[in-house]
Amino acid sequence: MIYFRYVGVTVFVDHFSDYVYVHLMRDLTAEATLEAKNAWEQLAGTHAVRIQRYRADNGRYADPLFLQDIKDNAQQITFCGVGAHHQNGIAEKKIRDLVENARTQLIHAMHLWPGVIKQVLWPFALKAVVRAHNKYKLDTNLLSPEEKFSRLKVNQSAKEEHTLFCPVYCLDAKLQGGVAGIPKWEPRSRLGIFVG
């Protein structure tokens, strides 16, 4: 079995709705960044949203491969000045808030369950924070970023939510099918962790 570890993310923030999409990346190449862009645009397309322009740092977003894709899709891109992250303040602030909240969740879980929760689970914490932001960060009209982005009313029910990294007991597969045969004193489930 081959394990892949994520080494970074590309964060997309829709300025109108405040909707956030994070794309987990196994490497930081131009191809991986373009893959992130395409995944974001595919997600937006499922909500009938067409991405028309980007505001980005230099670096990977100024690579010829990325710029050619922008051109091929009749999109526009503007760049921040070198070392001028304040010129893209909305995205930079969102990245900082997401990372701080994910770090808080992960460190809290590591404190409560140190033998199981490890730093390698940071992608799950980040995705959980983004999901909560998109579903539950309501504006003055009581609309979430998800609702504004998709232009659809979404049923927000906290009853069906689970705490990230909480213990989960999974029933033994032999019992799921109704087959008897597990000895009386053997465990009937295995312990896992909820990761979303």
Side-chain angles (χ1 to χ4, degrees):
M1 177 179 276
I2 298 174
Y3 292 98
F4 293 101
R5 290 220 174 151
Y6 293 111
V7 296
V9 298
T10 298
V11 179
F12 297 91
V13 181
D14 179 58
H15 286 214
F16 167 73
S17 65
D18 198 31
Y19 186 84
V20 177
Y21 172 72
V22 295
H23 188 82
L24 300 172
M25 301 172 69
R26 292 188 180 112
D27 59 57
L28 303 177
T29 62
E31 291 80 10
T33 305
L34 187 58
E35 178 185 311
K37 176 186 180 289
N38 292 333
W40 161 239
E41 290 174 0
Q42 184 177 5
L43 172 71
T46 64
H47 296 290
V49 173
R50 183 183 177 283
I51 307 301
Q52 297 177 358
R53 65 183 57 89
Y54 288 91
R55 176 88 171 149
D57 295 336
N58 295 303
R60 286 290 174 213
Y61 310 105
D63 278 347
L65 186 65
F66 195 88
L67 294 176
Q68 185 61 47
D69 194 69
I70 293 281
K71 184 178 177 183
D72 292 347
N73 288 296
Q75 297 168 325
Q76 299 173 359
I77 188 166
T78 56
F79 295 104
C80 301
V82 175
H85 294 291
H86 62 278
Q87 292 178 351
N88 197 7
I90 292 173
E92 295 296 336
K93 172 80 164 80
K94 188 64 62 189
I95 291 167
R96 188 183 85 200
D97 290 348
L98 294 172
V99 169
E100 285 179 357
N101 288 332
R103 181 174 54 231
T104 299
Q105 284 195 12
L106 184 61
I107 290 172
H108 179 68
M110 288 168 57
H111 175 72
L112 294 176
W113 207 356
V116 176
I117 307 298
K118 303 294 181 192
Q119 286 180 354
V120 73
L121 296 175
W122 70 264
F124 295 104
L126 186 61
K127 284 284 198 175
V129 167
V130 168
R131 182 179 177 279
H133 167 81
N134 287 336
K135 288 182 78 63
Y136 299 112
K137 185 177 183 265
L138 304 180
D139 66 7
T140 56
N141 297 320
L142 300 179
L143 293 174
S144 69
E146 182 179 50
E147 291 171 320
K148 289 189 283 187
F149 187 73
S150 66
R151 297 176 305 281
L152 295 171
K153 184 68 179 157
V154 178
N155 182 19
Q156 314 293 16
S157 175
K159 282 183 173 181
E160 298 169 14
E161 294 294 326
H162 297 282
T163 304
L164 183 66
F165 304 132
C166 70
V168 177
Y169 293 91
C170 302
L171 188 62
D172 189 298
K174 295 175 193 167
L175 294 172
Q176 291 176 6
V179 177
I182 295 180
K184 186 183 289 187
W185 303 112
E186 292 294 316
R188 297 190 176 327
S189 63
R190 63 179 174 79
L191 178 62
I193 54 173
F194 178 76
V195 291

